[in-house]
Amino acid sequence: MDEQLFFKKLNGLSTSKEIFYFLSSLEVMSDTMASGALQRISEVEVDDNGVKNPKGVLENEIFRALCLQFEFESSKLSNTGLLNALQALIKLRVDPQSTLMASLLSEGEERLGKGQLTVKNLCAFGESLLELEAPSCAMLEQIVNHMQEKDIEKWTPREIVMVYKMLQVTVREGEQYQDLLNRLNSVTLTIVSQLSPKFTSTILNSLVVLHQTQVVPLVAALCKHSVRHIPYFTGEELVNILEAFLYFGHRDQILTEALETHVPKSIFTMHPQTVSKVMQYCCQKMILSKPIFDAVAEVLISDADRFTTEQIAECIIPFGTLNYLPPSASSLFGKLETVLHTRFSHFRPHTLLNLLHSCVLIERYPVNFLPKIFSPYFLQQLQAQPPGLDRIVTSQLTQLFLTVTLECPFYEGPKLLPKYQVNAILTPHSSLDVHLLKRVRTGLLYLLKKRIYFASEVSTPYFYTVDIEIKLDEEGLVLPAAQCEEVHRRIALCVDGQNRFCFNSHNLLGEETIKQRHLRLLGYEVVQIPFFEIERLQNCRKMAEYLHKKVFPHTYGLSC
């Protein structure tokens, strides 16, 4: 049969049974036709879960006859026939240790050594080797060495992608193949607009694995290109895209909008790993997207059993970090309590601490589980695993302890021993904006006339540092900051810079919200000075007028 007619008929068949029946009617086939038949069988029989009917394929007489032909006549095969057959057999999970596979791999290696393979052949061979569970790095290095000698500008996007994938496996420490990578990166930049979603994801993933932080224009172009394809990425590809955005420090409003459209529509069919990666991206970039968060809450309520404990934590923690309660909060945290009761021992210690700490940020109190958290056994587990009991971990423990002390007076379980408590709770996401603090202090000096009437960055006995503290006596007169007697009221000014809010939002972060909540419970009058209220105040007088109204709204004796 004419090859063109053969492939036309072959590609019209949709089951291996039809293909075997078709092949049985032929008397003679070229090696290209035979390898094409194997490829078509692999296309119809292999899906995301593996081979659909391995016994029906691997034990079929026609299939076995084809395999014998390839095993004993491998040296007579064309390069295309050899490599297409190898690729198909690997996809069909034929034993890599079998004599058939050994024969094909050996023949491929021999032709590689003799320099008989074209760029297309080299990429096909590399792709097959990467599909094996334990690819031969030596053979892949040989392929890459041959590719180095070729003209990159003539490569197709598919060939470029395959070389990136091979380099992920072959590049070790040092500058090995960096010259090839530099050339590859330069050419890739010129074809970004031609890349499919799959190729875009693969290249970005390779740039992350290969630590190509210096190729800023290429990364920027790929990230911009990827945003247009959000609905078309598979779950794994979207994970690669988001990991690249995180690794290279990119944040794109158009990406956020695309995710806000895509995630709520697809949430119930998305893989849990993809869902948790979307939430991880939002959390690390401080993006409070209510459409995404609400959708994630719904899928956890109805389908939490599909998620691992690590994925559940990755989905819940951003609610606390970004200080957001969804409309379904009651059901969501009810579900979380059920998960904690049934799967408590499955959580890693540090994951569990992060999870419970994020809950108290938004006034969800895990009192039923705190006795276990404050137990010596659990604290030993924390200490034994990285990062151990570092300053952030002990700050979280201290804040949990302070929360139950101040907000859960009915809690009667074990307390956190003093040796695990910190003097000052760290707020890693909400550091003080020194420039903003300086402007507020200048305004206060203008208002109060003397520097002695307020103190900044004041350590309290209650584990928190107050940005600015002002003390008043019983009559409401301002006292010197150093005075400790006759203090009737304490005012805590929270100078909230942009970094204490969610990105592009006036929504205060969870760790700053709990601090202000606790300061109120400890007797402070908390006055929030957010950046967006003072950024346009142009001089000291206007700042002083603002502070007068904000800090002393009922006092008329102070004058600017």
Side-chain angles (χ1 to χ4, degrees):
M1 183 182 285
D2 171 66
E3 278 196 8
Q4 194 173 356
L5 178 60
F6 170 83
F7 281 107
K8 186 178 178 182
K9 287 194 172 187
L10 180 68
N11 291 329
L13 304 175
S14 55
T15 67
S16 57
K17 190 175 180 182
E18 290 174 349
I19 295 169
F20 289 135
Y21 182 77
F22 170 55
L23 296 179
S24 67
S25 68
L26 303 175
E27 291 183 12
V28 181
M29 275 188 291
S30 68
D31 68 330
T32 308
M33 291 161 72
S35 64
L38 286 179
Q39 279 202 311
R40 184 60 187 155
I41 292 166
S42 71
E43 287 168 7
V44 301
E45 281 295 331
V46 178
D47 59 19
D48 293 340
N49 299 315
V51 185
K52 298 175 193 172
N53 179 20
K55 192 173 180 182
V57 174
L58 302 182
E59 294 183 8
N60 181 277
E61 287 182 13
I62 305 287
F63 180 81
R64 293 170 77 171
L66 284 173
C67 290
L68 281 171
Q69 182 183 342
F70 282 110
E71 181 178 344
F72 293 108
E73 298 183 10
S74 59
S75 61
K76 299 176 185 176
L77 300 173
S78 64
N79 288 340
T80 302
L82 172 71
L83 297 169
N84 284 353
L86 183 61
Q87 209 165 39
L89 293 168
I90 290 170
K91 284 181 182 175
L92 289 166
R93 304 289 192 272
V94 172
D95 181 6
Q97 307 301 321
S98 65
T99 53
L100 165 64
M101 295 297 283
S103 174
L104 295 177
L105 286 166
S106 174
E107 183 62 30
E109 186 174 15
E110 189 175 328
R111 296 185 193 190
L112 174 64
K114 291 178 180 176
Q116 295 174 349
L117 303 180
T118 64
V119 167
K120 186 177 180 180
N121 296 154
L122 289 166
C123 288
F125 196 17
E127 187 172 10
S128 294
L129 291 173
L130 289 171
E131 287 286 332
L132 293 171
E133 284 186 14
S136 164
C137 286
M139 229 187 293
L140 282 170
E141 282 183 14
Q142 262 190 285
I143 294 173
V144 173
N145 288 333
H146 280 289
M147 295 297 285
Q148 277 197 110
E149 300 163 7
K150 310 292 183 182
D151 185 356
I152 295 180
E153 293 186 2
K154 293 180 180 176
W155 294 357
T156 64
R158 180 181 181 79
E159 288 160 356
I160 286 173
V161 167
M162 277 314 308
V163 175
Y164 272 117
K165 288 178 77 172
M166 286 188 279
L167 286 169
Q168 278 184 240
V169 177
T170 55
V171 172
R172 300 187 189 91
E173 297 298 318
E175 298 297 311
Q176 188 188 24
Y177 298 122
Q178 190 57 53
D179 179 57
L180 172 59
L181 264 169
N182 292 341
R183 289 158 54 210
L184 199 58
N185 293 336
S186 297
V187 171
T188 304
L189 181 58
T190 66
I191 62 156
V192 167
S193 61
Q194 302 170 35
L195 296 174
S196 67
K198 182 179 181 179
F199 288 172
T200 305
S201 169
T202 303
I203 293 174
L204 271 172
N205 179 244
S206 295
L207 295 176
V208 170
V209 173
L210 296 166
H211 309 297
Q212 295 296 289
T213 51
Q214 79 284 1
V215 288
V216 176
L218 174 58
V219 169
L222 286 166
C223 286
K224 187 177 179 181
H225 182 63
S226 69
V227 168
R228 302 170 191 164
H229 299 295
I230 294 301
Y232 310 108
F233 288 119
T234 64
E236 187 179 349
E237 289 163 2
L238 183 55
V239 167
N240 287 342
I241 295 295
L242 295 174
E243 282 180 343
F245 268 81
L246 289 171
Y247 181 80
F248 292 112
H250 276 260
R251 177 167 45 201
D252 191 307
Q253 182 59 30
I254 301 172
L255 172 65
T256 303
E257 291 167 6
L259 289 171
E260 286 180 339
T261 302
H262 174 65
V263 172
K265 286 194 298 189
S266 313
I267 191 77
F268 288 97
T269 56
M270 289 174 78
H271 191 279
Q273 180 60 27
T274 311
V275 177
S276 62
K277 184 58 67 175
V278 169
M279 290 300 278
Q280 186 187 350
Y281 171 77
C282 289
C283 192
Q284 288 191 29
K285 295 295 182 183
M286 299 297 171
I287 298 167
L288 174 56
S289 167
K290 292 181 182 179
I292 293 174
F293 280 47
D294 291 350
V296 170
E298 292 299 330
V299 80
L300 286 176
I301 291 164
S302 64
D303 218 2
D305 292 344
R306 278 200 306 130
F307 290 69
T308 66
T309 51
E310 201 71 23
Q311 289 163 349
I312 289 170
E314 286 170 349
C315 288
I316 294 285
I317 288 169
F319 286 93
T321 304
L322 304 187
N323 184 30
Y324 177 65
L325 284 171
S328 57
S330 177
S331 300
L332 175 63
F333 288 94
K335 185 69 175 184
L336 177 60
E337 185 162 11
T338 302
V339 169
L340 285 167
H341 275 299
T342 56
R343 299 162 72 181
F344 188 88
S345 62
H346 298 177
F347 284 90
R348 292 190 303 119
H350 286 280
T351 301
L352 189 62
L353 177 61
N354 286 331
L355 176 61
L356 298 185
H357 177 257
S358 72
C359 290
V360 301
L361 299 181
I362 44 178
E363 300 181 77
R364 289 297 181 270
Y365 308 111
V367 286
N368 293 331
F369 306 99
L370 289 180
K372 292 181 180 178
I373 297 299
F374 294 149
S375 72
Y377 173 70
F378 184 79
L379 295 169
Q380 285 169 9
Q381 283 186 306
L382 282 176
Q383 195 159 17
Q385 297 178 17
L389 289 171
D390 67 6
R391 185 83 188 282
I392 290 176
V393 171
T394 48
S395 289
Q396 288 177 324
L397 287 166
T398 304
Q399 201 160 41
L400 275 173
F401 168 65
L402 186 59
T403 298
V404 293
T405 305
L406 294 175
E407 302 183 64
C408 307
F410 51 86
Y411 173 75
E412 296 180 349
K415 304 288 193 278
L416 183 68
L417 294 174
K419 69 176 181 178
Y420 296 111
Q421 298 173 20
V422 292
N423 294 325
I425 291 171
L426 273 185
T427 51
H429 301 299
S430 309
S431 56
L432 184 58
D433 184 328
V434 180
H435 175 68
L436 203 64
L437 178 69
K438 188 177 179 181
R439 288 191 62 206
V440 173
R441 285 196 316 208
T442 305
L444 277 175
L445 185 59
Y446 193 97
L447 177 66
L448 301 176
K449 308 305 181 192
K450 289 185 179 179
R451 179 70 181 79
I452 62 167
Y453 290 119
F454 61 92
S456 53
E457 299 181 73
V458 179
S459 295
T460 71
Y462 312 112
F463 313 112
Y464 289 115
T465 300
V466 174
D467 297 338
I468 294 176
E469 184 182 58
I470 298 173
K471 297 174 181 177
L472 305 178
D473 66 11
E474 197 169 354
E475 294 177 5
L477 297 175
V478 180
L479 297 171
Q483 184 169 325
C484 297
E485 300 83 22
E486 299 179 0
V487 178
H488 185 67
R489 293 161 58 200
R490 292 175 188 266
I491 300 175
L493 270 63
C494 294
V495 183
D496 293 331
Q498 203 159 355
N499 62 321
R500 290 184 177 177
F501 293 86
C502 298
F503 178 69
N504 269 353
S505 164
H506 293 171
N507 195 76
L508 204 60
L509 294 177
E511 60 187 30
E512 188 60 26
T513 302
I514 194 174
K515 173 185 171 180
Q516 295 182 18
R517 191 167 80 235
H518 283 175
L519 287 174
R520 286 189 183 92
L521 290 168
L522 290 163
Y524 282 89
E525 293 177 31
V526 174
V527 177
Q528 191 185 1
I529 311 292
F531 75 96
F532 50 83
E533 288 184 359
I534 61 175
E535 59 188 354
R536 292 183 182 174
L537 300 178
Q538 295 170 349
N539 54 48
C540 282
R541 182 178 179 81
K542 289 194 180 300
M543 177 67 83
E545 288 172 355
Y546 166 84
L547 290 169
H548 186 185
K549 291 174 185 174
K550 193 88 177 184
V551 183
F552 307 105
H554 306 300
T555 306
Y556 301 100
L558 294 166
S559 174
C560 301

